[in-house]
Amino acid sequence: MNSIQKTARFAGLLYLALAALSAFGLVYVPSMIVVPGDAAATANNILASESLFRLGVVSNLAAFTVNVFVAVLLYKLLEPVSKSIASLMVILITVGLAIGMLNELNQFAALLTLGADNLTATQSQTLASLFLDIYEHGFTIAHIFWGLWLFPMGYLIFRSGFLPKVVGILLIIASMGYLVDFTLFLLFPDVTLTVSNFTFIGEVALIFWLLIRGVNVEQWNKRTHKSDKTDLNGRDKERELSLSKA
């Protein structure tokens, strides 16, 4: 199997692992622990299921780590289309992942607060609830960059010729979904709609396309050859080399 095809398959596999870890840590665990509007019930759930709560944090950190490798592999796949835009894609997701990792400290802070001996039950529950609220806000801020990185990715895929244009379009839509969620959360807090719950299909489509079909190797090789001949300013390297020799 062509090396780049192996890269595509591996990127799809890691992206699938990333999705599974995120679903567990960001969706399942909160649904079992957090009781909206009830700090006491949430605190009791954390203490009663501390192992599950900690596992959720670990799952999130693992997902962020896997995402780094996904970004590197996707950079290798998409670099022939535009090295500068592919680099921007990696920078954006790196910033988002850094925010996400640091934000997990708020979950640990909530757990440590509930175990503090110098606080009353009401005080510890109130502080834990505050840390979880800060965590939610931090998570939403990270949404900016998780959304922004999908835009250049979608653009590169749309322009690539070796991956389906429709996947690129869906990723751009997914990008907009994250950004809309951020806007609604901060400016319209009473709105409970989560748009990304309906626009994430682009990422799912990319995962299974990479796993099942991979890339069109012939078109990828053409893109790579064209990228090797032309520098970032659009000048023909081979022509300049021949002129310099003359």
Side-chain angles (χ1 to χ4, degrees):
M1 186 184 294
N2 187 283
S3 175
I4 197 61
Q5 198 69 291
K6 290 181 180 179
T7 299
R9 296 281 201 276
F10 192 38
L13 182 62
L14 288 183
Y15 214 146
L16 182 61
L18 162 63
L21 289 168
S22 298
F24 180 79
L26 299 177
V27 180
Y28 175 74
V29 173
S31 72
M32 301 298 293
I33 298 291
V34 177
V35 181
D38 193 333
T42 299
N44 290 332
N45 287 341
I46 292 174
L47 294 174
S49 306
E50 183 177 336
S51 296
L52 177 63
F53 185 80
R54 288 180 177 274
L55 190 58
V57 176
V58 172
S59 180
N60 290 340
L61 293 174
F64 298 147
T65 303
V66 171
N67 207 335
V68 174
F69 294 97
V70 171
V72 171
L73 293 172
L74 290 177
Y75 174 85
K76 184 176 180 180
L77 286 176
L78 299 172
E79 179 191 9
V81 183
S82 173
K83 185 174 182 178
S84 57
I85 296 179
S87 298
L88 175 63
M89 175 188 74
V90 174
I91 291 171
L92 290 171
I93 191 57
T94 300
V95 174
L97 293 175
I99 294 172
M101 282 192 161
L102 288 173
N103 190 43
E104 291 299 318
L105 288 173
N106 287 305
Q107 296 216 77
F108 279 119
L111 185 60
L112 292 173
T113 297
L114 292 175
D117 295 329
N118 57 338
L119 296 174
T120 65
T122 301
Q123 289 173 331
S124 64
Q125 290 168 5
T126 301
L127 283 175
S129 179
L130 175 61
F131 280 121
L132 292 178
D133 285 343
I134 295 173
Y135 170 76
E136 186 177 1
H137 281 74
F139 180 74
T140 304
I141 291 173
H143 263 61
I144 302 173
F145 297 95
W146 293 341
L148 287 176
W149 99 294
L150 293 177
F151 192 92
M153 187 199 304
Y155 172 80
L156 291 170
I157 290 175
F158 182 82
R159 292 287 306 276
S160 68
F162 50 80
L163 286 167
K165 289 181 181 294
V166 66
V167 173
I169 294 172
L170 290 173
L171 285 171
I172 292 174
I173 294 173
S175 169
M176 297 302 177
Y178 282 112
L179 297 178
V180 169
D181 283 348
F182 167 77
T183 303
L184 291 176
F185 184 84
L186 291 186
L187 299 182
F188 306 97
D190 294 332
V191 178
T192 58
L193 177 66
T194 304
V195 178
S196 59
N197 286 346
F198 305 96
T199 60
F200 72 96
I201 188 65
E203 292 183 87
V204 176
L206 177 61
I207 290 171
F208 287 101
W209 188 274
L210 291 175
L211 281 173
I212 298 171
R213 299 293 298 273
V215 298
N216 185 318
V217 177
E218 181 181 356
Q219 291 298 320
W220 188 88
N221 286 332
K222 286 182 179 179
R223 269 288 186 182
T224 303
H225 181 63
K226 182 178 179 181
S227 174
D228 288 341
K229 289 174 60 180
T230 307
D231 66 13
L232 294 177
N233 294 319
R235 295 193 297 264
D236 190 321
K237 291 181 179 179
E238 289 186 354
R239 182 172 180 273
E240 288 191 352
L241 182 60
S242 63
L243 289 174
S244 64
K245 288 182 178 179

